[in-house]
Amino acid sequence: MRRVLLLGSPNSGKSSLFNRLTGLSQRVANYPGITVDVASGPMVSLPDTELVDFPGTYSLEPISGEEAIAVSFLNEALADDNVSHVLCVADATRLEKCLHFILQVIRECQLHQKPVTILANMSDVIRDNQLHFDPIGLSEALGVQVISVSARESQGFESLVECLGVDAALNLHADRNWRETPNEILRGTAQQLAEKFSPKGDVLINSQLRLDRFFLSTALGGLAFFAIMFLFFQSIFTWSAPIMDAVESVVSGLGQAVVPLIPNKVIADFVADALFGGVGAFLVFVPQIFVLTLVIGIMEDSGYLARAALICHRPLRVFGLTGKSFIPLLSGVACAIPAIYAARSVDSPRQRMMTYLAIPLMPCSARLPVYALLIATFIPSDTALFGLIGWQGMALFAIYFFGMLVALLVTGFVSKASKNKQPEQPFVLELPPYRLPTAKPLLRNAWNRCQQFVTQAGKIILAVTMVVWVLGYFPNGGADLGQSWLGTLGHFVEPVFAPLGLDWRYGIAILTSFLAREVFVGTLGTIFGIEGSEENMLPLVDHIQASGLPLGSGIALLVFFAVALQCVSTVVILAREGSSRLALTMLVSYLVGAYLLSLLVFQIVSVLL
Amino acid sequence: MNNASAVKALWDLRPGEAATVTGFGDTLPVSYQGRVMEFGFQPGARVRCLLNPGFGAPRVYGISNSVFSLDREIAAAVHVAINNSVEGLA
Ligand SMILES: Nc1nc2c(ncn2[C@@H]2O[C@H](COP(=O)(O)OP(=O)(O)OP(=O)(O)O)[C@@H](O)[C@H]2O)c(=O)[nH]1
Ligand SMILES: [Mg+2]
């Protein structure tokens, strides 16, 4: 298969073009450094051609992890005979930051005898703002073809496909030879070309500046930051409540309709307890994950996240992190795995290590079902301000805040305790323009995330709930859970959890949650499903309330889940991206820390109440 | 036009002030000097200080239509010459 490479500066629209041309859904967002690995797929209009999306890089001399990946992949790809063409994407409205890279790429392609074409993206912005851009002049100056395209409006794609179809040898005919030109000369040339061909005027900068004056002003900007973060957490809980209720009633309605139809009692019990009780209890939380991913996506795509990184840079530095850690940390609120990959964009190795330390403490969406369950158990669902703000949302904010606080304390402590030999790396970040988020990719991304969540976590949950159900149902047919195999096992581990005021049922649920945190909910659902009477399938919350779980234990559970590293995948990825030693140290110390902290919390709450 | 120019650091520019890049201090790691040059902070280029969020936060600079935020470590090592005819912002 022929391969075509898609290179370019960060945030120039490579992944957007890739998605348009392949029909796939690579992650796209308005922040430089979103793509951190290469992705590939066949082109819709040329099925025998595979397009390869690269992480953005400002030059072929990388300073961060994802750039190094792009550069080393590029070197491999240029030596690959299957690579038939290189497409270099530039943001036509901001040519000045792309030209140096373009020249470097042209030089490398000429050295390796690969045809190269420049795609000047964002032609819609050029048109809408009546900017002047001269692709023909630029093409003459560079000696390679320049095509104006817009990924947003799918414009210019015919010329693009046509140029890919042309015989490679024709494309190789270069009017200008950059082969021998050293980097310093390329830089100078880039500047001259930028002066000549960059769209003139400051229309774009001025409209961006008006918003920045607000979002980056000393007082209002800080307030806006907290308001946005607050709304963010409210949205997860309060705004997704109606969808969750809907899912909940669908699940229980289905259960009530299906279970009586099953003639065999054991199978009926299994379907009711393990499937509807266990897996169903977890499905209820999927809407929250959808809302969470969507809201993070909106923040990223609007361009605000880069501003947030800037605002947070100084405060984060106190804790050994950098403003660039902000995006990985915020992604960690969705899931630690993409967050660990996103940390590649943190250029300093030391600060990247600190970011790794903090990520698993970020309140990820796998914790959300657990938090939501416990919060719903103890906190009334009253709302204020027309349902915009609720007590449960506030409680969630508090526990999320707790996780982040622990993360900062850990990195702060470790960075103070470990001597720093190298000087701090400086902070440079491109601030992308503010853009109205586009609904379709955002919704698609949130949908994909939910699908992933359901299929990946769902498989584990299904397996675990099945095992838990079998152990809990036999040998006495669900008559007495305490005397079942599970009960015997539970009483064996109970002493570990008794100091937290938790009985063996919670102990078992915690043990299973080391596979993945959300399994906790499924396991509890199954256990209470076996225990509960058959006629009324109560929501899990009601079961827990009825079981008389003390408040202190509830809070201790929240604290335990906030700190412990109960996720096999995170440990594996940490070992791969960081080191096995790091992963192991974090696993053990976060576990011990979680246990001790929750013990402390339980004792304090018990004394107070 | 008054061309009396004073050399100072990019970090010393106030929001709204524009200047021309003249060179780099030697406190800047070479890789980062390369990076800011690729961004367009090249000797001879016009830069504008757009914003200073305060509290020592990185400041915001514009070159043509691109906007970058640089922290003190970098901006203090970029030398600029100010023309007295300051171009105010709209
Ligand atoms: N108006 C407009 N916006 C675009 C166009 N192409 C991309 N964008 C927006 O530009 C931003 C960056 O797009 P991406 O496709 O993520 O850019 P990228 O080059 O893959 O970025 P990195 O992976 O971070 O290097 C997103 O907000 C897109 O919606 C376009 O043709 N017109
Ligand atoms: Mg991308």
Side-chain angles (χ1 to χ4, degrees):
Chain A
M1 206 178 205
R2 292 197 316 159
R3 304 182 89 196
V4 170
L5 312 183
L6 208 50
L7 310 173
S9 313
N11 215 40
S12 53
K14 296 174 296 300
S15 301
S16 305
L17 278 168
F18 176 85
N19 289 347
R20 288 283 186 184
L21 293 168
T22 60
L24 295 174
S25 49
Q26 265 282 96
R27 201 145 139 44
V28 166
N30 192 13
Y31 180 82
I34 282 297
T35 309
V36 290
D37 214 339
V38 283
S40 59
M43 285 178 67
V44 176
S45 49
L46 298 168
D48 62 332
T49 303
E50 187 185 45
L51 200 61
V52 189
D53 182 26
F54 272 67
T57 161
Y58 289 107
S59 87
L60 293 179
E61 292 114 49
I63 60 172
S64 67
E66 93 271 20
E67 288 186 348
I69 288 171
V71 173
S72 72
F73 260 91
L74 177 63
N75 288 333
E76 264 173 48
L78 287 177
D80 179 353
D81 286 338
N82 290 325
V83 171
S84 64
H85 208 116
V86 174
L87 297 173
C88 188
V89 184
D91 177 348
T93 62
R94 294 173 178 75
L95 269 185
E96 54 281 349
K97 61 153 202 193
C98 303
L99 275 165
H100 178 69
F101 181 64
I102 291 179
L103 288 170
Q104 283 186 320
V105 169
I106 296 179
R107 183 182 62 191
E108 293 309 306
C109 288
Q110 289 187 340
L111 282 172
H112 289 86
Q113 304 269 317
K114 299 279 183 205
V116 53
T117 302
I118 312 302
L119 302 182
N121 192 22
M122 318 251 177
S123 62
D124 56 311
V125 184
I126 299 262
R127 181 200 59 216
D128 292 345
N129 292 284
Q130 291 160 353
L131 299 173
H132 176 71
F133 171 61
D134 173 17
I136 298 171
L138 182 62
S139 172
E140 276 163 10
L142 292 172
V144 300
Q145 194 177 358
V146 177
I147 303 179
S148 259
V149 295
S150 160
R152 180 153 295 187
E153 300 183 349
S154 299
Q155 268 170 18
F157 287 8
E158 311 80 37
S159 330
L160 167 59
V161 171
E162 195 181 310
C163 111
L164 289 181
V166 169
D167 186 13
L170 274 179
N171 258 312
L172 265 182
H173 148 80
D175 310 332
R176 298 199 54 170
N177 183 351
W178 301 97
R179 264 164 256 215
E180 318 279 290
T181 323
N183 273 335
E184 302 78 67
I185 310 271
L186 283 190
R187 276 209 187 100
T189 316
Q191 195 188 354
Q192 285 161 12
L193 291 177
E195 270 162 30
K196 193 148 173 226
F197 292 104
S198 275
K200 296 289 166 318
D202 39 20
V203 199
L204 295 178
I205 241 181
N206 281 339
S207 59
Q208 171 170 349
L209 192 56
R210 268 192 293 277
L211 284 169
D212 272 337
R213 283 226 178 86
F214 175 75
F215 283 119
L216 295 179
S217 70
T218 314
L220 283 179
L223 266 180
F225 177 78
F226 281 108
I228 289 174
M229 289 297 131
F230 183 74
L231 278 182
F232 169 61
F233 290 111
Q234 282 296 328
S235 71
I236 303 171
F237 215 98
T238 318
W239 301 354
S240 49
I243 329 178
M244 292 173 68
D245 290 345
V247 175
E248 172 130 48
S249 44
V250 168
V251 168
S252 71
L254 256 178
Q256 261 143 14
V258 169
V259 173
L261 302 180
I262 304 173
N264 183 312
K265 178 170 181 304
V266 176
I267 297 181
D269 280 352
F270 170 76
V271 171
D273 306 337
L275 292 191
F276 286 98
V279 181
F282 143 84
L283 278 186
V284 169
F285 298 99
V286 174
Q288 286 185 320
I289 291 165
F290 185 84
V291 173
L292 174 78
T293 322
L294 192 66
V295 176
I296 292 189
I298 293 175
M299 288 205 288
E300 274 175 352
D301 216 22
S302 65
Y304 182 71
L305 274 196
R307 276 72 189 180
L310 190 162
I311 293 177
C312 290
H313 177 64
R314 289 292 297 195
L316 284 179
R317 261 188 65 166
V318 177
F319 300 99
L321 298 161
T322 143
K324 290 191 179 174
S325 311
F326 183 77
I327 311 287
L329 294 184
L330 195 78
S331 332
V333 175
C335 177
I337 315 254
I340 294 168
Y341 287 120
R344 285 179 181 170
S345 62
V346 177
D347 19 331
S348 135
R350 182 182 160 84
Q351 290 169 335
R352 197 178 320 131
M353 199 57 70
M354 294 296 159
T355 313
Y356 288 150
L357 285 183
I359 286 172
L361 292 165
M362 286 290 120
C364 71
S365 54
R367 288 177 171 103
L368 195 56
V370 181
Y371 290 168
L373 181 70
L374 292 167
I375 287 175
T377 306
F378 291 105
I379 313 257
S381 61
D382 303 341
T383 56
L385 281 179
F386 313 105
L388 273 179
I389 290 173
W391 290 115
Q392 296 188 334
M394 299 280 260
L396 188 70
F397 188 68
I399 184 68
Y400 270 43
F401 185 77
F402 172 76
M404 296 177 197
L405 190 72
V406 173
L408 291 182
L409 291 178
V410 166
T411 55
F413 176 76
V414 174
S415 77
K416 293 272 152 17
S418 61
K419 273 261 164 287
N420 188 9
K421 285 151 238 117
Q422 315 138 316
E424 290 293 332
Q425 300 275 25
F427 177 87
V428 266
L429 182 67
E430 184 189 347
L431 294 186
Y434 290 96
R435 285 201 182 95
L436 262 187
T438 32
K440 220 176 114 195
L442 286 177
L443 289 171
R444 194 159 60 173
N445 183 43
W447 180 251
N448 287 347
R449 175 91 193 95
C450 287
Q451 259 186 335
Q452 246 179 8
F453 194 71
V454 171
T455 47
Q456 286 174 359
K459 265 185 248 153
I460 305 178
I461 291 181
L462 186 63
V464 172
T465 50
M466 264 156 49
V467 172
V468 168
W469 183 83
V470 169
L471 291 177
Y473 194 80
F474 296 106
N476 45 24
D480 185 358
L481 186 65
Q483 298 303 319
S484 66
W485 292 329
L486 192 68
T488 317
L489 194 72
H491 291 301
F492 182 69
V493 296
E494 194 160 28
V496 181
F497 300 99
L500 307 178
L502 297 170
D503 66 36
W504 65 270
R505 291 171 300 188
Y506 295 94
I508 293 282
I510 293 177
L511 284 187
T512 57
S513 70
F514 274 87
L515 287 171
R517 296 178 178 94
E518 29 328 19
V519 174
F520 179 82
V521 175
T523 307
L524 271 190
T526 311
I527 293 181
F528 282 111
I530 299 176
E531 216 174 33
S533 57
E534 330 229 315
E535 308 83 63
N536 54 343
M537 282 203 287
L538 285 179
L540 185 50
V541 172
D542 300 354
H543 276 304
I544 298 182
Q545 277 170 344
S547 81
L549 182 71
L551 178 63
S553 305
I555 302 179
L557 268 178
L558 285 175
V559 169
F560 185 84
F561 273 89
V563 179
L565 208 178
Q566 303 153 280
C567 176
V568 179
S569 334
T570 305
V571 178
V572 171
I573 305 288
L574 269 175
R576 196 184 305 158
E577 292 281 300
S579 68
S580 320
R581 208 179 117 219
L582 174 80
L584 211 63
T585 317
M586 285 171 66
L587 179 68
V588 173
S589 50
Y590 287 1
L591 178 64
V592 174
Y595 188 79
L596 293 180
L597 259 181
S598 50
L599 187 64
L600 185 72
V601 166
F602 175 71
Q603 297 300 339
I604 291 175
V605 177
S606 310
V607 168
L608 290 181
L609 291 182
Chain B
M1 204 177 142
N2 185 350
N3 265 335
S5 56
V7 173
K8 50 175 167 176
L10 185 58
W11 186 256
D12 298 329
L13 291 188
R14 275 168 313 192
E17 278 183 327
T20 307
V21 177
T22 55
F24 301 95
D26 46 16
T27 53
L28 195 60
V30 181
S31 58
Y32 281 84
Q33 179 178 327
R35 179 48 48 93
V36 290
M37 283 172 80
E38 286 144 18
F39 279 163
F41 293 84
Q42 303 233 20
R46 264 327 256 171
V47 300
R48 245 177 11 165
C49 175
L50 299 177
L51 285 166
N52 171 8
F55 292 117
R59 294 183 187 169
V60 182
Y61 301 95
I63 285 204
S64 187
N65 273 317
S66 303
V67 179
F68 301 98
S69 84
L70 308 182
D71 70 355
R72 191 197 193 108
E73 272 96 342
I74 291 196
V78 177
H79 298 163
V80 294
I82 297 199
N83 300 333
N84 278 349
S85 54
V86 171
E87 298 160 24
L89 277 177

